[in-house]
Amino acid sequence: PIAPLASPVPPGSASTSPSDRRSMEAVRMTADDRITLDGRLDEGVWMRAVPATNFRQQDPDNGAPATEQTEVRFVYDDEKLYMGVTLFDSEPDQLNYYQMGRDGGLPADDKLQWAIDTFNDGQSAYWWEMNPAGSMADALRGANNTNNRRWDGIWDGRTTRSEIGWTIEMEVPFRTMNFNLDTDGWGVNFQRTVARKNERSLWMGWLRNQGLNRMSNAGLLTGIQGVSQGLGLDIKPYVVGTSESFPGREG
């Protein structure tokens, strides 16, 4: 089971004007809601979240509707933000995915990239990407299109490939990100690449002089309230051992 295809297009995603800011709302989970991070959007809370959809092509046919539909949903609890993405594909056996390593480049892969501007200032953002094999990459984006890929945030993601295309389920603790607790709106944008078609489509900022890196052209994510930013610390105990043997030497 997956979150159902959005029909008709949700009002926040309906605009086809690059100057009208699109919006979407994150859904707060109830005490009974649980998400198993397995890349399958089969939990009931995903059904309650209205998706961002109606992506438009940046290339090759600028401004035209994307040939393959994409739907992005956000839900959250006190400590984590969850993103569920359905990437429909009419030829799922033609997906391209070569990279498995963390922070590896994906020049020839199908992929989804997304950016979240937690201060909604249009200057900086947290950036992520995944391919159908579950390869994960992240970075910090700053003003003047600076890109710090040495940043490795605390987050996790899973993908699943199926007859409808592929899906992403991602979780990121709020302590991974800096944000203003008093604001309800974050900048957000998504970019999908369909490798075999050389097609790149975006939710917002699809004009060729815009793009995912220009957060001033991002959409708006609302609804996140009453969450805990924590201390920004993560403790992971581990043990390291070594052993050496020199047969034939006395003692």
Side-chain angles (χ1 to χ4, degrees):
I2 60 169
L5 184 69
S7 182
V9 176
S13 293
S15 172
T16 59
S17 168
S19 60
D20 292 340
R21 192 175 196 185
R22 293 177 171 184
S23 64
M24 63 181 304
E25 185 175 359
V27 170
R28 175 175 273 279
M29 299 167 61
T30 69
D32 296 328
D33 287 325
R34 298 287 185 276
I35 288 182
T36 300
L37 202 69
D38 56 8
R40 296 178 175 86
L41 309 185
D42 50 6
E43 292 86 1
V45 65
W46 292 120
M47 310 300 175
R48 304 200 304 269
V50 178
T53 186
N54 199 27
F55 284 40
R56 316 293 291 190
Q57 292 184 50
Q58 188 173 56
D59 291 306
D61 190 4
N62 187 247
T67 61
E68 308 289 351
Q69 185 162 334
T70 307
E71 297 184 350
V72 186
R73 293 169 166 85
F74 281 106
V75 302
Y76 70 99
D77 58 19
D78 289 343
E79 298 182 349
K80 294 180 180 180
L81 178 68
Y82 297 88
M83 183 183 75
V85 189
T86 307
L87 302 105
F88 295 93
D89 199 301
S90 56
E91 298 178 286
D93 57 331
Q94 298 299 312
L95 292 172
N96 291 297
Y97 44 93
Y98 305 105
Q99 179 61 252
M100 289 291 292
R102 175 70 184 255
D103 283 330
L106 305 176
D109 289 22
D110 283 82
K111 59 191 171 186
L112 182 79
Q113 303 175 67
W114 64 99
I116 299 179
D117 173 9
T118 55
F119 289 98
N120 195 27
D121 59 8
Q123 298 295 315
S124 59
Y126 297 92
W127 172 91
W128 296 269
E129 73 174 349
M130 293 187 73
N131 70 359
S135 175
M136 300 163 55
D138 51 20
L140 293 178
R141 293 284 170 86
N144 301 318
N145 202 27
T146 57
N147 182 24
N148 178 12
R149 292 194 68 139
R150 291 176 294 177
W151 178 77
D152 287 317
I154 301 168
W155 65 288
D156 202 359
R158 297 288 185 273
T159 60
T160 295
R161 302 182 297 275
S162 68
E163 70 279 358
I164 59 97
W166 58 294
T167 52
I168 297 174
E169 211 167 29
M170 184 275 288
E171 66 175 22
V172 54
F174 286 113
R175 69 180 183 273
T176 295
M177 303 178 287
N178 290 321
F179 57 91
N180 184 350
L181 292 170
D182 297 325
T183 185
D184 180 44
W186 293 1
V188 67
N189 204 4
F190 320 98
Q191 177 178 299
R192 178 181 179 180
T193 299
V194 181
R196 68 182 183 277
K197 299 181 180 181
N198 292 318
E199 179 180 314
R200 182 170 55 192
S201 60
L202 293 100
W203 187 51
M204 281 290 302
W206 56 79
L207 296 182
R208 289 201 171 98
N209 64 345
Q210 297 175 354
L212 184 69
N213 294 336
R214 285 188 55 175
M215 295 308 295
S216 57
N217 298 113
L220 187 66
L221 174 65
T222 64
I224 300 176
Q225 297 177 335
V227 299
S228 173
Q229 198 167 21
L231 298 177
L233 301 175
D234 198 60
I235 298 174
K236 186 175 183 179
Y238 66 95
V239 174
V240 175
T242 62
S243 175
E244 294 181 313
S245 176
F246 302 97
R249 295 186 181 182
E250 293 185 0

